[in-house]
Amino acid sequence: MTTTYPGVDEASPGSRTPLLSVRDLRVTFGRRGQTGFRAVDGVSFDISPGEVIGLVGESGSGKSVTSMAIMGLLPTRGVRVEGEALYDGRNLLDLSQRELCRVRGSQLAMVFQDPMSSLNPVVTVGTQVTEVLHAHQKLSRADAKAEAIDLLRRCGIPDPGRRFGEYPHQLSGGMRQRALIATALACKPKLLICDEPTTALDVTIQAQVLELLAELVSSLGTAMVMITHDLGVVAGLCDRVNVMYAGRIVEQAPRRELFAHPRHRYTEGLLNSIPRLDGDRDEPLHPIPGTPRDTIGWEKACAFAPRCRHATDECLRPDLELRQLAPHHDVRCVHPAGAASSGATGGASAAGRSPEPPKERS
Amino acid sequence: MTDNLLEAAGLMVHYPIRSGMVVNRTIGHVKAVDGVDLAVPRGSTYGLVGESGCGKSTLGRALLRLEDITAGTVTFQGRDITKLRGEELRKLRRHAQMVFQDPMASLDPRQSVQSMLTEPLRVHGLAESDRAEFGKNSAKAHAAKAASMLELVGLPRSALGKYPHEFSGGQRQRIGIARAMILNPELVIADEPVSALDVSVQAQVLNLLSDLQDRFGLTYVVVAHDLAVVRHISDTIGVMYLGRMVEEAPADDLYREPLHPYTTSLLSAIPVPDPVVEDARERVLLDGDLPSPANPPSGCRFHTRCPWRRDELCATEDPPLREIAPGRRVACHWAETIAAGRIEPHAAAVVPAKDAEGAGGSATAAD
Amino acid sequence: MTQLPQDAAGVTPTERPPALAAAMAGGVETDEGGTSLWTAALKRLVRNPSAIVGAVIVAAFLIVALLAPVLAPYRPSTTEWANQVTPSRLPAFSPQHPLGLDPFGSDLLTQLIYGARQSLIIGVVSTVLGLLGGALLGILAGAFGGWVDTLVMRLVDILLSIPSLLLAVSVAAIVGRRPESLMIAIAAAQVPVFARLLRGSMLKQRGQDYVLAATSLGLRRRSVVMGHVFPNSLGPVIVQATLILATAIIEVAALSYLGMGSPDPTVAEWGRMLVKAQERLESYPHLTILPGLCIAVTALGFTLLGEALREALDPKTRK
Amino acid sequence: MLRFVVRRLLLLVPVLVGLSVLLFAWLRALPGDPARALLGDKATPEAIARLNAQYGFDQPLIVQFFTYVGQLAQGNFGASARTGEPVLQTFLDRFPATVELALVALLFAIVVGVPLGYFAAKRAGGVLDLFAVGSSLLGVVIPVFVLAYLLKIVFAIGLPGLEFLAILPSSGRQDVRMFATHITDFYILDGLMTREFDAAWDAFKHLILPGLALGSIPLASITRMTRASVLEVLNEDYIRTANAKGLSQTLITWRHVMKNAMLPVITTIGLLTGQLLSGAVLTESVFAFNGIGSYLFEAISTLDYAVLQGFILFIAIVFALVNLIVDLLYGVFDPRMRVQ
């Protein structure tokens, strides 16, 4: 009943030296003396040069905190960051403020969710692009301006010469996100982290921005981490996908493999609970019960167990490990989907629907 | 057309733009809703979709007379309610209710759930149909009804004593739904009922809405930006753009064969959580941004961004919403011609599929 | 009434294995709760050290003010020791008068204790009057809207452009030199502040979704305003009232300095004591410093409490 | 831009009309008949009769009102009951002194308050924060005239044993032996313009103590406003963006944090005008500083209502003008507020 796809576009991740290697990243919030809240709980993943990976999860899954920790953007007080983020032989988490400044913006760059609030309202768009050029490259004022205007044009901003001197409030949401992408890509970074870059935008604008991102990273050879709650965004864009739940990665797989054979019960549940544009309307939705708040700590059991239809007492294992179930497909689950032991999967596997491309007229 | 619970004709909601420091003058209007006709049959669900600024939420509120109507009529239960005022308008609320987008903002933060749920009962009294079960109007009967309503939406009785900030988003939305349903209304207008919720929780609320509809024979108008959500829950879908209805179709037909260029672009912009579909489909990208609703383009409002734009008519003539097949209405001069494939979109707007030959083709074809 | 299918009910998956259920009992949301926003704010308040300091000062002030007849060694404003005071000499501290005498021959400790009472009366009365006046104007403007709103708010703007001290002086000039004129003057100066605050707060609440929700439920307009808009607008007003208690105490001193106080020179009032002692500042600094300290500490107490309240009630600090 | 200014000035008209209605009502509400209230107890019957004729206090109320407004419109704010001098003239003569004092106070408050507020916010919850918040509270809870007295005793008159601290003049605007030339009546400016630098220095020394005392009022507001505003800006998304770009901390502080955080502080400064002027009434009297504040202080103590009435009108106009300037300044700093 399920279909397999030949892994043509799924280059094995281990074949090259990774650009960034995150190892056992933990982020704990809380004041001294109190038991803190662990937002990220031992996250590990690799990104190869030029690769696009997805980090998918709901609010509170720790996906944004992971990216902020890698970029050193978390506040220093009340937050403890442990683990490693190896980039170019150095652990980013150990860098001094000065060293961090040299890497950020030039080697690693970031695009944020809300283009309305992520640009400084009292500084011109142009300055916000040129300042990153000035910070990392020796450029004359005129050269930086020319470069910035060129960047804005390449990011699809019409009339970039005029926009250069304008303020963020004079630009639409989509334009602001393009300007932010321009600043992020100004120094041709090796890695671009996008934290929900299109969530605040309308769908038609989202399509434009995603298209732009895909085009830019492939032409620049930049690797990209796409952080999102939208499985649809990931499906069209990422080479590999990491699904996060309650601060841990619960499933890691190449994109086609993941969507064709979701193994973790959470991933499976997510796919079954979202209405699909191309799905059968009479097919009922199968929601995941409960809310992301209903969780047990990973140190006691599978954090998803309280919401899982397949949970048994066996799920009460402390610090469940990621297991490899198929090549490049790791799952942190006692009763993964598709395994022989669990017959009753609630009826709706991914193949239950008939994916049908929209009618094309040509 | 026999039994429409709700109808609107030529509905307009214009907000004045005021300016001036000493004396405020009206210098223009934001035409949030600018001439919309629709009919919602009893017991059905009508979905309104569009991007931000298209006027769908304003339309939803105007249908309940929560906005000042500039022109046009709204007919509910066969009665023109456009001009209702005071007491009569208040009495109407028993039959027509609303579910809001942001469950945190739409619940009074200082009100307990109990007080929140019984408040409409204190105002309007128990619905006739509930008298048998809960008895005469009394604080006790109201509390009993509130508790049973809460159970119906899947919250424990203990929630009655709690306050909105003590719940998760999904639970709050359940409370909002319970409050809207407690008077046994006939019509419920839901404005973005799931967009503020986590993905895994959205389906719970959508299912709850469907179950309640089946149980009480409710009529819904669901306003949302997420076409997949609207398509799942609606029988008929109206697509809005800049204050106008540009297309109206049965939910299944709309995806299978969109007639308006805007609908086509919108559909192609929505990502589908399936790499096979994603890689195989061709995209139509729209130019630029939404024009200002204060100063909409001449002719067809969509012509400034339309990939199928023609030199004739589009910029000059305002296309009416016309029925070109049973149940299918569209406001495009060239709808038939485009459907017949005789007009092609501008090449620049089309992003070819990643898998031109359709790598997943064999797999999908198997189903 | 039967329950809906478990999908919709959602919260509890059908059957949960026993051990798992037991493990969850600790971690998953429990049924306790029912804390209103006020209770939650109070909880935040008691965790804030500056709120504690403020509350302790305010409590001490209240106790002294309310129990003045019990605590004070003598009756206030008695000048029975006036014969011991000469223009150049005040008797030193003695067991009978632990803080000595004031220039009018009253016991200084007694005067200070009764001064607290006086400050409390002036502060509370003027704040309550100012609040009532401001609420009246604010609700008038908010309820009628249109030109009434414009007129009232323009008036408030004008009054706000006059420094409160001068406003108080002007009102005191009308009322004349009576014991209650200070309260009326200070209250009058607070009216525009409260009016602007309450109207702004109500306007902000009126735009909230829950007000639209209340309207859509068919509530009468009056119920919407009094039941929903008004209670939710009170936060900033409560904060302001606390802060104004501090201002009132200081303003009394300033008005006394301007010669606007009570006509009786011996009355036990901190501001007045401070002013009257200033000519002897070089020789008897304690006469100035003690009432000054009383004013500063009390004002500090109310200010700390007010600022902490502002933080506790601020929606941004809510989780 | 010009249209904006003209519009704002036009907006002053209803304010002034409203204010004159209020002032007229106030005059009528004063105990006793208005002529006597304005002229004081020692007025001669002839003077009262003359004023009654001038303002038409024997006419119907509405006529009285228009006569009153007519007098105001001609710039006749009345004359002091004590000295008989026209109120407006006295204000204009003494205003530069108060402006000079207020500017010094404000300058002190900004120079100290802004950095204090900034560092308090940067280390929120730390020792410096506690100090900043604490000292800013002192400015709120100590009556300004008490602070003025304390400063005067310590730094001008001298406490026993601490006389060496008393190095500043205790009163006045300038040493009477200076015989300085006065052009603008801003003494420091005059001294600089006439190259009488010792005169300028002396005027400045006279301003230090009153400036510190008066400055304690805006210092408190500015410190707290800066702290709150910086705290808020530090949490803004664009600061995170700036950090993610790898900009230097100096650049982030100036271009991204301060440029935004100063906006509400500018508004606060405009709103402080009223407080500064009423503080000046108290401070100037302590230091016998010859500005409008000490003039008003005398007027209040002697119940000279004509002066009070004129002062209120004067202050309302000054307040409106200062806030107009602040709004224009705001446009310079905030592009969103810029008038097209």
Side-chain angles (χ1 to χ4, degrees), chain C residues 3-4 12 23 59 78 126 155 216 229 269 287 292 301 308 312 314-316:
Chain C
Q3 208 165 331
L4 283 173
T12 28
T78 48
S126 59
L155 182 78
S216 80
V229 178
E269 197 275 298
L287 287 182
D314 187 354
K316 271 187 226 150

Side-chain angles (χ1 to χ4, degrees), chain A residues 285-347:
Chain A
L285 299 178
H286 298 275
I288 302 173
T291 79
R293 268 205 215 167
D294 307 329
T295 179
I296 315 183
W298 284 107
E299 69 283 351
K300 277 192 270 177
C302 169
F304 183 63
R307 302 177 67 191
C308 184
R309 292 174 202 287
H310 305 271
T312 63
D313 285 349
E314 284 171 76
C315 297
L316 247 118
R317 272 182 223 168
D319 293 309
L320 207 57
E321 290 296 320
L322 267 180
R323 291 191 285 158
Q324 193 173 62
L325 292 184
H328 313 305
H329 195 159
D330 300 340
V331 179
R332 197 189 296 275
C333 182
V334 180
H335 306 289
S341 60
S342 56
T345 54

Side-chain angles (χ1 to χ4, degrees), chain C residues 209-254:
Chain C
D209 259 5
Y210 70 83
V211 175
L212 189 65
T215 311
S216 80
L217 287 173
L219 266 69
R220 286 185 184 82
R221 204 176 137 142
R222 187 158 27 91
S223 322
V224 176
V225 172
M226 297 317 289
H228 295 278
V229 178
F230 189 65
N232 277 293
S233 316
L234 276 182
V237 176
I238 292 171
V239 171
Q240 187 64 25
T242 320
L243 294 175
I244 277 183
L245 273 165
T247 319
I249 291 168
I250 293 167
E251 222 143 77
V252 169

Side-chain angles (χ1 to χ4, degrees), chain D residues 176-193:
Chain D
V176 282
R177 290 158 298 182
M178 270 293 161
F179 301 112
T181 327
H182 296 144
I183 309 165
T184 59
D185 273 340
F186 294 100
Y187 284 8
I188 297 183
L189 191 66
D190 285 345
L192 295 178
M193 279 166 67

